[in-house]
Amino acid sequence: MDKKPIILFDGVCNLCNKAVQTVIKHDPQGKFLFASLQSGEGQKLLQQFQLPVNNFTSFVLIQSGNVYTKSTGALKVAKQINGWWQLLYIFIVVPKFIRDPVYNWIANNRYKWFGKKDECMIPATELKARFL
């Protein structure tokens, strides 16, 4: 497996797809790789790290053999991309038991607020190498 950090995301979620596009835009070095939670590669990684394979509400970051989910994963990614996004990492000081319920509330309403696609996005040709 590549040593680059891998982001697993809900491939049909409009909010999640926008988040992936934001990471791509602010990661000019291309340090992150991506896979949808629903994809074969995403499912293999979920199984490998003993995460639920049928619950697509969590953002997952796999980095250096560690798995970070929900708000922790999102904040760790924000810290590593360019721009003001790095400032969001300050919220890591907020205890997870407070951060994750806020994350869950957004995750549980994301389709209602942002909509969803019928199928996972297909990356543009120039980005295919970054998707597993």
Side-chain angles (χ1 to χ4, degrees):
M1 183 187 306
D2 200 311
K3 297 295 181 195
K4 291 185 175 189
I6 301 168
I7 295 172
L8 301 179
F9 66 99
D10 180 353
V12 299
C13 167
N14 287 339
L15 175 63
C16 305
N17 282 293
K18 181 64 176 166
V20 167
Q21 295 301 321
T22 299
V23 172
I24 289 169
K25 180 179 177 182
H26 296 281
D27 176 26
Q29 300 85 15
K31 66 177 103 172
F32 289 101
L33 297 176
F34 305 92
S36 73
L37 292 161
Q38 296 92 335
S39 71
E41 284 297 320
Q43 290 287 295
K44 278 198 290 189
L45 288 165
L46 290 171
Q47 289 175 354
Q48 179 182 338
F49 289 97
Q50 301 174 352
L51 295 170
V53 296
N54 57 358
N55 179 354
F56 304 129
T57 61
S58 183
F59 179 96
V60 178
L61 171 65
I62 302 169
Q63 187 169 24
S64 302
N66 297 308
V67 176
Y68 305 98
T69 61
K70 299 186 179 191
S71 63
T72 303
L75 290 172
K76 285 190 173 284
V77 169
K79 180 182 179 184
Q80 298 177 66
I81 61 176
N82 295 343
W84 66 268
W85 298 98
Q86 295 175 354
L87 298 175
L88 293 175
Y89 193 70
I90 189 74
F91 290 107
I92 203 75
V93 301
V94 176
K96 188 173 175 60
F97 74 88
I98 295 171
R99 283 187 280 119
D100 276 354
V102 173
Y103 178 96
N104 290 338
W105 177 65
I106 294 168
N108 290 333
N109 288 289
R110 71 192 189 282
Y111 293 153
K112 180 170 57 173
W113 296 339
F114 301 98
K116 69 184 255 188
K117 300 176 184 317
D118 292 329
E119 52 191 43
C120 293
M121 76 171 202
I122 298 173
T125 305
E126 66 272 10
L127 297 174
K128 282 191 181 198
R130 296 191 60 191
F131 285 79
L132 304 177

